[in-house]
Structures are given as structure tokens and as C-alpha cells.
Amino acid sequence: MEGFSPEAEATAVAVRRALELLQLNDPVLRVQAARDIRRLTKTSQRCRRQLRQAVAPLVSMLRVDSSEFHEPALLALLNLAVQDENRNKISIVEAGALEPIISFLKSPNPNLQEYATASLLTLSASPTNKPIISACGTIPLLVNILRDGSPQAKVDAVMALSNLSTTQPENLSIILETNAMPFIVSLLKTCRKSSKIAEKCSALIESLVGYEKGRISLTSEEGGVLAVVEVLENGTPQSREHAVGALLTMCQSDRCKYREPILREGVIPGLLELTVQGTPKSQPKARTLLQLLRESPYSRPKAEPDILENIVCDIISQIDGDDQSGRAKKMLAEMVQVSMEQSLRHLQQRALVCTPSEMPIASCASEVSSKY
């Protein structure tokens, strides 16, 4: 056919062959078809569309009581659903895939458990699927993965939980009831603070601290508030926005209770930087939080002036005025120097906090990559 390249023709033949093999009763050929579909859909959006007819036969393979079918079929479905293929995501759920996928979360096979978690991450990126996935009792199982799963499964689990919490606030209560905060904090402490993982963790923490149980859980975890402060200092713009939002929510809920735990982790330098260089959303949050942290609810002896608080007060007045760049940045540098001189004990405490080396996990988007 004119204009039809040999590569495209070969792909079209491979697509037809895979669909035909899926319909056969031969287990070996059906497994081969699933593997071919996984390969064809790994990077090709066109193949994902062309192979939509494969969804139902692949889901039926998940239901067969034979482990040799499960991994190839699950990986093929996973690749069919990645990227922007929302129609495939919905079709997979409509075909009844959730029941076997959720059962795989409890599998003793770590690979199957990992692929099931990745599948739920991908499927939960669809707004249509979120309430269906939540209604199946998935959240406690994802928290179990977050606690005991492989490093990659933990990452996918926290991102799936983040997906499920964005449009359904009631899921936050379920996440809190399953005591997920320690595992979220643990993941946040071990990942790069500028990674997508940190962004999802901090977003989830920001939502969870809207509840008193979430605030108590975060502050009860050793290094929990510190991990949020480190994201505020070194995260992506979006992560820093979530981090300052979490700390602000805590301080606004009960300043007397949370002011000192936040100040103790050296948050002031990062906050001041946000007031100058943060996003349009994080700048006002940083200013409000600085005000709450600066104004102690207790009286201070006049003989012990707080130099750092004076600088905070001055820089806020500068930012509220017309000059938001030159003098503010100069005062920011002055503040950092004073903070360093006054925070030796804090730095020593931070050095004692055990921070594991960064996890060797590839950066993640709102759903899994096409590495499968």
C-alpha cells in the first residue's frame, strides 16, 4: 500500500496475529500473545488503540487458576493503560480486572504484587475509576504494600493512594485509619526531595494533616516534620507548595501546639526564600506561616531579643511594599547568616537523624512509566 512503511505493515501484522492467538485455547500461544501485546504497546500509542480488543481476553487470563497466565496478562494490560489511554483504563475496569488485580496485592509472589500495584496506580489515574477502585477495599491493601512491599511497589502504592485521595476526601479518613503516615514519612525521608515521589508524599501529607489524627501522626514520627521542612527547602516548586501548605495547616490548627516543633527543624530560611521565589500559591502561604511563627503566643523577656524574628518582621514588611527583589534578597542573605550562627544545636540534632541513602528508584509520573 502506497505510503505504508514496511515497519508499519509489520506492526499491523503483529497486532492481528496477537489478537488471533488470544482467542485460541492453547495456553502457550495465549501467553505468547500477551507477551507480544506487552512488547507492541510498550512505547506505541497507536498500538494501544489498535489492541483495545485485547482487553477482555487478557482480563479473562487473570481469572484463570494458573500463575503462568497472570504476569504476562497483567503486564500487557498495564502497557495498554499507560499514558493518556483513558479509554483503555476504563475498559479494563469494566471488564472486571479489579478483582483479580486486588487479589494479587496479597500474593506471595513479589513480582506479581509489584505489577498489581503498578496497575492500580495506572488505573487510578482515571477519574472514572477512582471511586470504583476505592469501593473495592483497595486502600488498606495499598498501605500494606507501602509498609512491606518492594521499593518500587512502595513508590507506586503511595502514588496510587495520592491519586485516590485527590477527588475523594473520604478516602483520607481510611488512609489515616490504616496508620499509613509512618510509611509515607519513611518513604519521604529516603527519596530525593526534588523527585516526583517526594511531590506525591508531600501532597498526601498536606491532605492528611487537615485532620488532627494526621497532625499527631506526623509529629509523632521521628524526623517527620523535618522531612517536610527538607522538601520545603529542596523540593520542586509543586512539592514546596505542598510542604508549606502542610506546615501552615498545622500551625493554623493549633499554633501553641505546633509552632515549636516546626521552628525546631529550622524552617525559617526556606520560608523566607519562598516569600521571594516561591510560586504564586506558596508565597502567601509562606508569609502567613512566617507571621504565625514569628508571633509567639508567650511573652519573651525583654533582655533576650530574637534577632531572627526581627529580620523576619523586616523582610515581611519589605515584601509587602513595592520593593520585592533587591532589599528583600539582601535581607534574606543576612537572615541565612544569622540563622546559621544561631542554629548550631539544631544542626547537630539534624546530623543525628538517620537519613538513609537515596532509593535507586527512577522518577515517577502520576502513573507508571513504560518500563514494564
Side-chain angles (χ1 to χ4, degrees):
M1 183 181 299
E2 187 177 353
F4 202 55
S5 69
E7 293 83 3
E9 184 174 357
T11 299
V13 170
V15 166
R16 288 195 300 270
R17 173 177 167 76
L19 290 172
E20 290 170 359
L21 293 181
L22 273 182
Q23 307 301 323
L24 302 178
N25 290 325
D26 188 326
V28 175
L29 293 179
R30 293 180 72 188
V31 168
Q32 183 58 53
R35 289 174 176 157
D36 289 344
I37 291 170
R38 172 193 175 190
R39 174 179 54 80
L40 291 166
T41 55
K42 186 171 184 178
T43 57
S44 172
Q45 187 171 353
R46 175 179 292 182
C47 284
R48 293 183 196 119
R49 291 194 299 266
Q50 293 173 336
L51 284 161
R52 281 174 181 156
Q53 300 172 52
V55 167
L58 287 170
V59 170
S60 70
M61 290 175 66
L62 298 182
R63 295 179 173 278
V64 175
D65 188 19
S66 176
S67 58
E68 66 176 326
F69 277 13
H70 296 159
E71 285 190 25
L74 192 55
L75 287 168
L77 288 168
L78 179 58
N79 281 359
L80 278 169
V82 296
Q83 304 274 329
D84 299 322
E85 289 302 322
N86 193 56
R87 181 174 169 184
N88 284 357
K89 290 178 174 69
I90 295 172
S91 297
I92 290 168
V93 171
E94 289 178 342
L98 282 183
E99 183 183 349
I101 289 175
I102 291 171
S103 72
F104 296 154
L105 292 178
K106 298 176 282 188
S107 171
N109 181 337
N111 287 335
L112 193 58
Q113 194 179 88
E114 184 174 306
Y115 302 151
T117 307
S119 298
L120 288 170
L121 165 59
T122 299
L123 296 174
S124 66
S126 165
T128 303
N129 289 341
K130 289 181 183 183
I132 304 172
I133 294 172
S134 302
C136 293
T138 311
I139 289 175
L141 295 174
L142 286 172
V143 173
N144 288 342
I145 296 293
L146 189 55
R147 181 188 62 203
D148 299 323
S150 68
Q152 185 61 54
K154 288 181 179 181
V155 169
D156 291 343
V158 81
M159 297 179 81
L161 288 170
S162 180
N163 283 348
L164 294 174
S165 68
T166 52
T167 58
Q168 291 189 282
E170 61 271 21
N171 286 342
L172 292 170
S173 297
I174 302 174
I175 293 171
L176 285 171
E177 288 168 7
T178 54
N179 195 33
M181 184 69 82
F183 314 122
I184 298 170
V185 169
S186 177
L187 186 59
L188 182 60
K189 288 164 66 175
T190 57
C191 72
R192 273 190 307 110
K193 301 304 180 284
S194 59
S195 66
K196 196 71 177 179
I197 307 165
E199 186 175 310
K200 291 296 181 178
C201 287
S202 56
L204 199 49
I205 289 173
E206 181 184 18
S207 298
L208 293 173
V209 297
Y211 299 78
E212 179 63 11
K213 186 174 182 178
R215 296 188 288 272
I216 293 172
S217 183
L218 177 64
T219 53
S220 298
E221 283 301 304
E222 183 179 358
V225 175
L226 173 59
V228 176
V229 170
E230 288 176 338
V231 172
L232 185 146
E233 293 172 341
N234 301 309
T236 64
Q238 189 64 43
S239 295
R240 299 180 80 188
E241 197 173 287
H242 291 310
V244 71
L247 298 175
L248 178 59
T249 296
M250 293 171 66
C251 209
Q252 286 178 325
S253 70
D254 190 335
R255 183 173 58 166
C256 292
K257 185 174 184 178
Y258 295 112
R259 178 179 181 272
E260 289 303 324
I262 293 172
L263 279 174
R264 191 162 51 239
E265 301 303 349
V267 71
I268 298 297
L271 281 178
L272 283 167
E273 185 181 344
L274 276 184
T275 62
V276 179
Q277 300 176 349
T279 66
K281 287 186 179 180
S282 62
Q283 284 186 10
K285 290 180 180 180
R287 294 174 197 169
T288 303
L289 181 54
L290 279 170
Q291 192 74 17
L292 290 171
L293 296 175
R294 183 178 67 86
E295 294 178 352
S296 172
Y298 310 106
S299 60
R300 287 180 177 271
K302 291 185 178 179
E304 298 180 9
D306 191 326
I307 298 174
L308 185 55
E309 287 193 2
N310 290 338
I311 294 175
V312 172
C313 184
D314 289 342
I315 198 167
I316 289 174
S317 66
Q318 287 295 326
I319 292 171
D320 288 340
D322 294 332
D323 180 10
Q324 293 194 16
S325 55
R327 180 152 175 76
K329 290 181 180 179
K330 180 180 178 182
M331 297 184 76
L332 177 59
E334 179 186 355
M335 182 283 309
V336 173
Q337 180 62 34
V338 173
S339 177
M340 290 175 64
E341 292 171 355
Q342 291 187 336
S343 301
L344 178 59
R345 186 176 67 175
H346 162 67
L347 293 173
Q348 290 172 335
Q349 290 174 344
R350 287 179 74 163
L352 293 174
V353 176
C354 179
T355 304
S357 59
E358 295 173 359
M359 296 173 64
I361 299 174
S363 59
C364 301
S366 61
E367 55 183 79
V368 294
S369 68
S370 58
K371 68 172 187 153
Y372 290 106

